[in-house]
Amino acid sequence: MEHSILVDGVIDGRQAARIVRARVKEEVTELRAEGIHPRVAFVRVGEDAASETYVRAKARACGWVGVRSEHIHLPSNTTQQDLFATIDRLNSDNDLDALLVQLPLPDGLGGRQVLNRVAVDKDVDGFHPENLGALVAGCGPLEPCTPSGIMRLIEMLGVDLRGKRALVVGRSVIVGRPMYNLLVRGHATVMCAHRHTPDLASLVAQADVVVVATGVTGLIRGSWIKPGAYVFDVGITRQADGSLAGDVCFDEARGRAAGVTPVPGGIGPMTIAQLLSNTLTCAKLRRGLIERTIHRA
Ligand code: NAD
């Protein structure tokens, strides 16, 4: 392990994110010395309070590593045509390296059509079908930030996935499915559960690595977890008292698992750190400093 990100059974996502950011900052400094100043745009539509918080957190993190960022906020009554026009303008902006459309979008804007509109090389979230397809093929440079952040945590923890069983709970296109594929690429034997899966407890009990992304507070009970497993909790749900909670019963899981990520302070900061890393990748891709097709192990 390169730094201690595991303290008393808790995987410290904030510390891991600091390590990733330090590397990104070094590279940004080098690029800036060559006259390249990476720039990312965040497009947000409507008044979703959580989205506003996330975009602000992303912009703040950009500032920490010397990446330029721009927050474009469109009103709730924006039409799909207007949103497409904004994306097209940003796609063709030669001074812009990376572009992210914050989800969820208001109803009626056609989430998938919007994500498909983002230029493949500026798709910092890795949600374009071409980038998702390349992830499955194992050759793409831009991979979704949450699953790739979890793979980085696994690497930092020194967990060798060979011979391990992993379980992904949730099959969304932005988290569960890419996570499944990255774990398979990492040589784990992977199961994927979703809302139609019976007897979730018995699957959790078999897994050495569990990634949960459902948005169902406290879905995973501590007693289900295999002793010594690593548990990554992606879920974030705001509770009635204003606090944030994950999909895993954290207090039950801690101590039984070898390591569990807290909410907040676990996957969230790593996701943002990975976004910075992807912004750097976009900046290099557009200038031909890295290949579009990467040959991964
Ligand atoms: P989603 O709603 O698109 O998908 C939820 C998935 O959970 C579905 O595949 C569904 O089948 C599964 N599911 C629902 N109930 C289940 C149950 N009882 N048992 C098993 N599976 C069940 O959600 P998403 O976009 O993948 O996000 C999931 C959660 O992760 C949300 O809370 C979201 O806010 C959070 N999230 C956090 C980050 C981060 O940076 N920390 C990033 C992305 C998403």
Side-chain angles (χ1 to χ4, degrees):
M1 204 186 309
E2 57 179 301
H3 265 264
S4 184
I5 62 159
L6 182 62
V7 181
D8 294 336
V10 179
I11 301 167
D12 185 349
R14 292 196 176 110
Q15 173 61 13
R18 274 192 282 273
I19 295 166
V20 173
R21 282 200 307 268
R23 282 193 205 140
V24 171
K25 189 174 180 174
E26 260 175 43
E27 282 202 63
V28 170
T29 307
E30 281 168 26
L31 283 181
R32 287 180 67 172
E34 292 166 28
I36 300 168
H37 196 174
R39 175 170 161 244
V40 59
F42 306 118
V43 178
R44 182 167 68 87
V45 186
E47 302 307 327
D48 184 74
S51 292
E52 186 183 0
T53 308
Y54 293 144
V55 170
R56 283 192 197 290
K58 289 169 186 177
R60 199 178 328 122
C62 285
W64 290 336
V65 298
V67 163
R68 292 178 293 161
S69 73
E70 182 185 347
H71 180 175
I72 297 158
H73 181 209
L74 303 175
S76 313
N77 62 358
T78 298
T79 62
Q80 192 187 62
Q81 204 181 7
D82 290 341
L83 180 53
F84 278 3
T86 300
I87 294 172
D88 292 348
R89 175 176 64 77
L90 295 169
N91 280 343
S92 56
D93 180 344
N94 233 347
D95 186 40
L96 185 75
D97 298 296
L99 161 59
L100 173 158
V101 180
Q102 183 65 40
L103 301 178
L105 287 168
D107 289 343
L109 284 180
R112 177 35 72 189
Q113 286 161 291
V114 170
L115 298 180
N116 291 3
R117 193 89 178 187
V118 174
V120 174
D121 286 355
K122 292 191 182 185
D123 175 32
V124 70
D125 256 339
F127 293 162
H128 190 284
E130 198 171 312
N131 284 321
L132 287 169
L135 177 146
V136 176
C139 64
L142 289 168
E143 301 184 331
C145 303
T146 300
S148 55
I150 293 172
M151 292 305 286
R152 262 187 144 151
L153 284 176
I154 289 172
E155 198 184 299
M156 286 182 186
L157 289 164
V159 176
D160 183 356
L161 292 173
R162 266 168 254 248
K164 301 282 195 321
R165 270 191 202 198
L167 171 68
V168 180
V169 188
R171 59 174 173 183
S172 71
V173 171
I174 62 173
V175 184
R177 291 182 207 203
M179 189 74 245
Y180 176 93
N181 281 283
L182 291 177
L183 287 164
V184 169
R185 193 205 293 163
H187 309 298
T189 302
V190 192
M191 306 175 276
C192 180
H194 45 76
R195 68 175 80 246
H196 301 293
T197 303
D199 199 7
L200 186 56
S202 74
L203 297 184
V204 174
Q206 296 173 45
D208 305 293
V209 171
V210 184
V211 178
V212 194
T214 66
V216 181
T217 305
L219 175 68
I220 306 298
R221 303 303 305 256
S223 60
W224 300 358
I225 294 166
K226 181 175 174 180
Y230 289 89
V231 181
F232 302 91
D233 189 355
V234 179
I236 309 176
T237 323
R238 192 162 293 278
Q239 305 301 291
D241 66 359
S243 64
L244 295 174
D247 295 353
V248 176
C249 296
F250 178 80
D251 291 335
E252 295 176 5
R254 187 179 178 186
R256 186 168 172 100
V260 57
T261 57
V263 178
I267 303 306
M270 260 320 255
T271 295
I272 296 182
Q274 203 58 34
L275 177 78
L276 302 172
S277 179
N278 277 3
T279 302
L280 203 55
T281 300
C282 290
K284 291 184 197 164
L285 259 182
R286 289 205 315 126
R287 292 168 179 84
L289 297 175
I290 51 174
E291 299 274 334
R292 166 125 267 293
T293 302
I294 288 181
H295 299 284
R296 296 183 194 267

